[in-house]
């Protein structure tokens, strides 16, 4: 896949636009960075070459994705002006490769990510999460080396995001099933699950799920909807920051192995019934 983008200082929008093309369409991309008018004209007239963030023209059929010209008015689904990142995502999002690979949750998260990049590039909101990209402009005295390192970092970072969003999606689906069986303020699951906004939106207080064979975590939900450091139902103050024998002596539960110093999580080594017994006690004393 051949891609043309501008030379000089690079930014998150064209870097992640190219990352999207590589991630979904081809692991091998040949990126040429130039502002040469003749080279750009030739590339823009060739429908087999992607022209990204340069050229003063936007035409999906010709694979031209620039947003810097005065007539550009293209908005994304959130009502925000797009940059090259959003344009490329808009071009590929309905493709078979994306739809067969991505769940609705993944598509939502990618769109959210691209929208934040678009908003930054258009001077609406700063998006500090991707500020590391621009720092690579100072990596060395060689622009080509700087771009390559920035692109590799962005590609790796996007893969990490995709992995995290995939886990999040799985967690949400498992959580939906666990919520149907929740009782006495406890969300129990035979698979490991983490706190989600979905869980925080309920009246439940704790999540009990396995960490590994014979070991269970008891985790408090947050006080509000957001996933933060607040604790809806923390472990007793006397337990916090202790482990094993000392904790077992303080608590009276011989199965307790650990309690985080903030009280947001406790670990039980034993059966699920023993873990649920500890969880019920935590709720009672709250």
């Amino acid at each position: 896949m051949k891609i043309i983008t501008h030379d000089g200082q690079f930014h998150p929008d064209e870097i992640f636009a190219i990352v999207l093309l590589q991630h979904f369409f081809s692991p091998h991309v040949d990126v040429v960075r130039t502002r040469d008018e003749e080279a750009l004209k030739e590339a823009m007239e060739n429908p087999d070459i992607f022209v990204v963030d340069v050229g003063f023209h936007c035409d999906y059929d010709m694979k031209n994705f620039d947003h810097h010209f005065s007539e550009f008015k293209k908005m994304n689904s959130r009502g925000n002006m797009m940059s090259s990142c959003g344009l490329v995502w808009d071009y590929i999002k309905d493709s078979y490769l994306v739809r067969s690979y991505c769940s609705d949750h993944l598509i939502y998260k990618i769109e959210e990510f691209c929208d934040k990049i678009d908003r930054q590039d258009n001077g609406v909101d700063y998006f500090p999460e991707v500020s590391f990209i621009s720092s690579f402009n100072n990596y060395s005295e060689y622009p080509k080396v700087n771009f390559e390192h920035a692109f590799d970092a962005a590609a790796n970072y996007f893969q990490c995001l995709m992995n995290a969003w995939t886990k999040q999606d799985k967690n949400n689906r498992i959580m939906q099933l666990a919520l149907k069986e929740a009782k006495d303020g406890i969300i129990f699951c035979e698979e490991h699950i983490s706190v989600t906004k979905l869980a925080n939106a309920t009246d439940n207080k704790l999540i009990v799920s396995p960490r590994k064979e014979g070991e269970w975590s008891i985790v408090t939900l947050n006080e509000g909807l957001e996933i933060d450091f607040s604790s809806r139902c923390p472990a007793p103050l006397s337990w916090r920051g202790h482990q094993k024998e000392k904790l077992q002596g303080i608590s009276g539960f011989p199965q307790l192995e650990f309690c985080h110093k903030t009280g947001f999580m406790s670990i039980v080594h034993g059966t699920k019934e023993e873990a649920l017994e500890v969880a019920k006690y935590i709720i009672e004393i709250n």
Side-chain angles (χ1 to χ4, degrees), residues 27-200:
H28 306 292
V29 293
D30 175 20
V31 181
V32 176
R33 303 179 69 229
T34 183
R35 292 186 188 272
D36 181 82
E37 292 184 4
E38 286 300 317
L40 286 174
K41 183 176 184 297
E42 181 179 344
M44 291 168 63
E45 292 175 353
N46 186 337
D48 293 326
I49 299 176
F50 287 86
V51 181
V52 176
D53 208 43
V54 69
F56 291 94
H57 191 59
C58 181
D59 184 336
Y60 288 5
D61 291 335
M62 296 301 293
K63 299 186 178 67
N64 298 333
F65 303 95
D66 195 19
H67 66 110
H68 292 105
F69 52 100
S70 59
E71 298 85 2
F72 183 83
K73 305 293 182 185
K74 200 166 179 60
M75 303 284 188
N76 62 21
S77 60
R78 297 164 184 253
N80 296 316
M81 191 79 73
M82 284 191 273
S83 71
S84 60
C85 183
L87 288 171
V88 167
W89 170 247
D90 191 50
Y91 171 75
I92 70 174
K93 68 181 182 181
D94 292 321
S95 67
Y96 171 77
L97 285 172
V98 171
R99 290 293 170 177
S100 62
Y101 173 58
C102 294
S103 65
D104 289 342
H105 177 75
L106 274 176
I107 288 173
Y108 174 85
K109 297 302 290 186
I110 297 169
E111 289 186 344
E112 181 181 56
F113 180 73
C114 292
D115 180 53
K116 289 179 179 179
I117 291 176
D118 289 350
R119 288 171 67 81
Q120 172 171 285
D121 200 70
N122 287 310
V124 179
D125 290 318
Y126 180 52
F127 187 27
E129 184 178 318
V130 296
S131 62
F132 71 94
I133 294 299
S134 296
S135 69
F136 278 97
N137 282 294
N138 304 308
Y139 182 80
S140 75
E141 60 182 307
Y142 305 106
K144 184 175 186 295
V145 171
N146 297 349
F147 181 86
E148 289 172 351
H149 279 280
F151 180 76
D152 288 344
N156 289 333
Y157 183 65
F158 185 72
Q159 183 62 61
C160 290
L161 289 177
M162 289 292 287
N163 293 344
W165 293 334
T166 299
K167 289 180 181 178
Q168 193 178 71
D169 188 29
K170 179 183 177 183
N171 192 50
N172 283 335
R173 286 186 278 108
I174 295 172
M175 180 65 74
Q176 286 177 331
L177 295 174
L179 285 173
K180 294 179 181 179
E181 304 296 327
K183 63 180 181 179
D184 301 323
I186 300 172
I187 303 169
F188 174 79
C189 187
E190 295 279 2
E191 294 185 65
H192 178 72
I193 51 175
S194 304
V195 176
T196 64
K197 288 185 178 181
L198 187 66
N200 281 339

Side-chain angles (χ1 to χ4, degrees), residues 169-240:
D169 188 29
K170 179 183 177 183
N171 192 50
N172 283 335
R173 286 186 278 108
I174 295 172
M175 180 65 74
Q176 286 177 331
L177 295 174
L179 285 173
K180 294 179 181 179
E181 304 296 327
K183 63 180 181 179
D184 301 323
I186 300 172
I187 303 169
F188 174 79
C189 187
E190 295 279 2
E191 294 185 65
H192 178 72
I193 51 175
S194 304
V195 176
T196 64
K197 288 185 178 181
L198 187 66
N200 281 339
T202 70
D203 294 329
N204 294 294
K205 300 181 184 298
L206 297 173
I207 294 175
V208 177
S209 69
R211 282 169 53 88
K212 58 184 180 180
E213 184 69 30
E215 194 169 275
W216 305 83
S217 65
I218 302 171
V219 180
T220 175
L221 298 180
N222 303 125
E223 291 177 348
L225 182 64
E226 295 302 315
I227 301 171
D228 52 29
F229 293 106
S230 64
S231 294
R232 186 178 300 186
C233 188
L237 186 61
S238 62
W239 297 8
R240 301 177 195 177

